[in-house]
Amino acid sequence: MLITIPSILSKDDVKQVRAHLDAADWEDGSKTAGPQSAKVKHNKQLPPVSDTAQTLGQFILQKLTDDPLFLSAALPARILPPMFNKYEQAETFGAHIDNAIRVNPLTQERLRTDLSMTLFLSEPEEYDGGELVIQDHYGTHSIKLGAGDLVLYPSTSLHEVTPVTRGARISSFFWLQSMIRTDAHRTILFDLDQSIQSLSTTIGSNAVETVRLTGIYHNLIRTWAET
């Protein structure tokens, strides 16, 4: 399931984050890539353990975990600290699949990457190129969102960032391990949860149908969850 989630950060939030990033020292992005990805990764990245990365990462995580659509879609168990990258003239990240296991640079905890996330921090008109292109069973999706918007997609997806030809594409990227391992099960639960929320609005949260579906939802989580 690929889903875009608008306004994780407000425009004022984005301005504050960008002010810190614009004053930060960036390094070669290939330092945190795997052996295969390093050959096709050409960008700049904020050092993950820097004070700026940690402070901004905690700010983003707080905003993210307050968002009901994100929680419904991801059902997160653990989230890696957000990282930050910048693509400028001719910089790109060729087609790759994210590493299955990543290590939290702050705690050394290992985490299975079920879902990948990109939070856009540049407005589309600030740069040309730089589309996030994701391939799945339904085709190829080219994604370029407004600043503050996020895309969430399975980490099993082949994806790339096309070359930037003007300006700078700045974003935050990170991964999570979901309580629900498989994308198919997460999709079923997301659709069910969205239906329950709609019914709660139209016929009430205490209606027999709403209560019954809520029970089914939680029983499915009980069946499929890994914590």
Side-chain angles (χ1 to χ4, degrees), residues 9-22 56 59 120-123 126 147-148:
L9 299 183
S10 69
K11 298 305 181 185
D12 286 341
D13 290 336
V14 171
K15 288 180 182 178
Q16 293 180 38
V17 170
R18 284 288 301 274
H20 289 283
L21 292 177
D22 291 345
L56 295 181
F59 177 71
F120 288 78
L121 297 171
S122 298
E123 296 291 359
E126 291 184 58

Side-chain angles (χ1 to χ4, degrees), residues 117-118 120 130-134 141-144 151 153 159-162 169:
M117 291 162 283
T118 296
F120 288 78
E131 290 85 1
L132 174 62
V133 178
I134 301 170
H141 311 273
S142 182
I143 299 165
K144 190 173 185 178
V151 60
Y153 59 96
H159 60 284
E160 64 181 300
V161 176
T162 64
R169 175 197 190 270

Side-chain angles (χ1 to χ4, degrees), residues 88-151:
E88 295 180 297
Q89 184 73 27
E91 292 184 322
T92 183
F93 197 164
H96 65 284
I97 292 177
D98 292 333
N99 292 346
I101 303 295
R102 295 195 68 94
V103 177
N104 186 322
L106 305 179
T107 66
Q108 301 307 303
E109 176 187 29
R110 294 181 181 274
L111 181 151
R112 185 186 69 237
T113 57
D114 294 325
L115 290 166
S116 301
M117 291 162 283
T118 296
L119 174 63
F120 288 78
L121 297 171
S122 298
E123 296 291 359
E125 61 269 20
E126 291 184 58
Y127 61 100
D128 294 331
E131 290 85 1
L132 174 62
V133 178
I134 301 170
Q135 298 181 30
D136 62 18
H137 296 299
Y138 302 101
T140 300
H141 311 273
S142 182
I143 299 165
K144 190 173 185 178
L145 303 180
D149 298 344
L150 177 136
V151 60

Side-chain angles (χ1 to χ4, degrees), residues 23-225:
D25 294 322
W26 299 80
E27 64 180 13
D28 187 343
S30 64
K31 288 186 177 182
T32 58
Q36 184 183 47
S37 296
K39 298 176 183 178
V40 295
K41 185 177 183 181
H42 306 286
N43 65 5
K44 298 179 183 67
Q45 193 166 291
L46 207 61
V49 297
S50 67
D51 290 342
T52 300
Q54 292 184 54
T55 299
L56 295 181
Q58 285 300 314
F59 177 71
I60 288 170
L61 286 179
Q62 182 61 57
K63 295 288 186 177
L64 196 64
T65 53
D66 286 342
D67 189 277
L69 185 59
F70 165 75
L71 296 175
S72 179
L75 293 167
R78 292 178 289 170
I79 307 177
L80 279 168
M83 301 169 71
F84 301 86
N85 58 22
K86 179 195 293 186
Y87 294 81
E88 295 180 297
Q89 184 73 27
E91 292 184 322
T92 183
F93 197 164
H96 65 284
I97 292 177
D98 292 333
N99 292 346
I101 303 295
R102 295 195 68 94
V103 177
N104 186 322
L106 305 179
T107 66
Q108 301 307 303
E109 176 187 29
R110 294 181 181 274
L111 181 151
R112 185 186 69 237
T113 57
D114 294 325
L115 290 166
S116 301
M117 291 162 283
T118 296
L119 174 63
F120 288 78
L121 297 171
S122 298
E123 296 291 359
E125 61 269 20
E126 291 184 58
Y127 61 100
D128 294 331
E131 290 85 1
L132 174 62
V133 178
I134 301 170
Q135 298 181 30
D136 62 18
H137 296 299
Y138 302 101
T140 300
H141 311 273
S142 182
I143 299 165
K144 190 173 185 178
L145 303 180
D149 298 344
L150 177 136
V151 60
L152 176 74
Y153 59 96
S155 299
T156 53
S157 305
L158 185 69
H159 60 284
E160 64 181 300
V161 176
T162 64
V164 169
T165 58
R166 178 189 65 86
R169 175 197 190 270
I170 300 173
S171 66
S172 177
F173 65 102
F174 42 116
W175 299 267
L176 67 81
Q177 180 172 320
S178 176
M179 291 185 290
I180 308 300
R181 179 190 286 261
T182 70
D183 182 58
H185 289 165
R186 285 193 302 271
T187 301
I188 290 169
L189 288 168
F190 176 73
D191 289 342
L192 184 54
D193 184 45
Q194 295 303 297
S195 296
I196 291 167
Q197 292 186 40
S198 178
L199 283 175
S200 296
T201 300
T202 56
I203 66 174
S205 59
N206 293 323
V208 172
E209 296 84 354
T210 309
V211 172
R212 183 181 297 120
L213 282 179
T214 301
I216 293 171
Y217 174 81
H218 285 286
N219 285 334
L220 286 174
I221 290 181
R222 191 173 287 113
T223 301
W224 292 334

